[in-house]
């Protein structure tokens, strides 16, 4: 690690200051030097990934309808409003069950962001979507479930690869993450000076 400056952190156990040197940052941990403590303080990895990597990605994941027909919808970076309205980023078909469609015009929102610490895309789901005019969140009529559990209003939950999103209680969609290849990630790695705010 070049350019490392000696830094002081607060011990996570006793709260007293400890000096972190380059060797500690490389090892990823430091033992508290204060008498009677000795707690092992873990240090965050001293690099992240440049989020400009997302500009070169060919896709941002897919939602696949788990019914007939087996339609696939592409996601974009940022907010994906999902519903039957043509103003939605992901406009799904009006799937009809006994003459009724249970998906709202603007039903839920799947947000795709880049996690610079893991170097992968992050997918977060919430019920409802901002109204296209007022920008006020409007909740779905029949609810949104993630892996069988109903989302509370205002709740925002991470969706793992293969996670099942159910709209209106009947229509199921499976999320496929877009996975960034390790070789590409390596070229976007940014070495950092050790940042004490990232200790855990
Ligand atoms: Zn200590």
């Amino acid at each position: 690690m070049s350019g490392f400056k000696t830094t002081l952190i607060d011990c996570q156990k006793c709260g007293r200051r400890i000096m972190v040197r380059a060797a500690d940052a490389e090892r990823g941990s430091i033992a508290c030097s204060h008498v009677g403590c000795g707690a092992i303080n873990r240090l965050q990895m001293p690099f992240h990934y440049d989020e400009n990597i997302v500009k070169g990605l060919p896709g941002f994941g897919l939602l696949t309808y788990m019914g007939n027909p087996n339609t696939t919808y592409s996601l974009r970076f940022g907010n994906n409003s999902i519903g039957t309205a043509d103003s939605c980023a992901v406009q799904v078909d009006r799937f009809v069950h006994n003459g009724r469609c249970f998906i709202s015009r603007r039903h839920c929102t799947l947000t795709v962001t880049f996690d610079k610490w893991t170097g992968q895309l992050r997918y977060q789901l919430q019920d409802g979507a901002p109204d296209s005019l007022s920008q006020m969140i409007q909740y779905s009529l029949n609810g949104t479930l993630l892996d069988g559990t109903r989302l509370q209003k205002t709740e925002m939950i991470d969706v793992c690869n293969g996670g099942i999103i159910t709209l209106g209680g009947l229509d199921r969609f499976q999320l496929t993450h877009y996975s960034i290849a390790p070789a590409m990630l390596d070229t976007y790695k940014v070495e950092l000076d050790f940042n004490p705010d990232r200790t855990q």
Side-chain angles (χ1 to χ4, degrees):
M1 259 182 70
S2 58
F4 181 83
K5 296 177 201 72
T6 298
T7 311
L8 290 168
I9 63 164
D10 296 327
C11 173
Q12 289 145 25
K13 187 176 174 197
C14 70
R16 287 176 289 189
R17 306 229 102 183
I18 324 171
M19 188 175 290
V20 178
R21 296 184 174 82
D24 306 311
E26 278 174 17
R27 193 171 50 241
S29 68
I30 181 172
C32 177
S33 53
H34 292 283
V35 175
C37 180
I40 303 297
N41 288 259
R42 291 204 297 167
L43 307 172
Q44 185 65 37
M45 297 293 276
F47 61 85
H48 70 200
Y49 298 98
D50 183 347
E51 61 184 68
N52 281 314
I53 194 170
V54 301
K55 293 176 184 168
L57 298 182
F60 297 98
L62 302 170
L63 270 185
T64 304
Y65 182 61
M66 300 176 74
N68 198 3
N70 204 232
T71 313
T72 293
Y73 304 91
S74 297
L75 299 170
R76 65 185 185 188
F77 192 71
N79 291 338
N80 292 267
S81 51
I82 302 171
T84 59
D86 60 10
S87 59
C88 287
V90 177
Q91 184 185 13
V92 298
D93 298 0
R94 293 188 81 261
F95 300 104
V96 173
H97 308 272
N98 297 321
R100 274 192 66 195
C101 173
F102 293 84
I103 304 179
S104 296
R105 289 177 46 76
R106 300 177 66 77
H107 195 106
C108 66
T109 305
L110 188 56
T111 304
V112 182
T113 53
F114 179 69
D115 183 331
K116 67 182 184 177
W117 301 104
T118 63
Q120 291 299 330
L121 297 176
R122 182 176 185 187
Y123 297 82
Q124 292 174 290
L125 179 67
Q126 63 188 118
D127 184 62
D131 178 81
S132 44
L133 292 176
S134 70
Q135 292 302 309
M136 298 277 286
I137 291 267
Q138 291 189 323
Y139 300 106
S140 70
L141 190 61
N142 298 308
T144 301
L145 283 76
L146 175 59
D147 298 327
T149 302
R150 193 183 182 96
L151 267 67
Q152 303 299 307
K153 286 176 181 170
T154 75
E155 190 176 31
M156 198 166 180
I157 294 195
D158 281 271
V159 185
C160 63
N161 187 34
I164 307 288
I165 297 166
T166 307
L167 305 186
L170 287 173
D171 296 301
R172 306 199 309 151
F173 299 80
Q174 185 164 41
L175 173 66
T176 305
H177 284 200
Y178 181 83
S179 176
I180 302 174
M184 186 180 180
L185 258 185
D186 275 349
T187 65
Y188 283 85
K189 193 169 168 176
V190 180
E191 300 283 348
L192 302 172
D193 281 343
F194 172 68
N195 179 353
D197 293 339
R198 293 287 300 176
T199 56
Q200 47 175 247

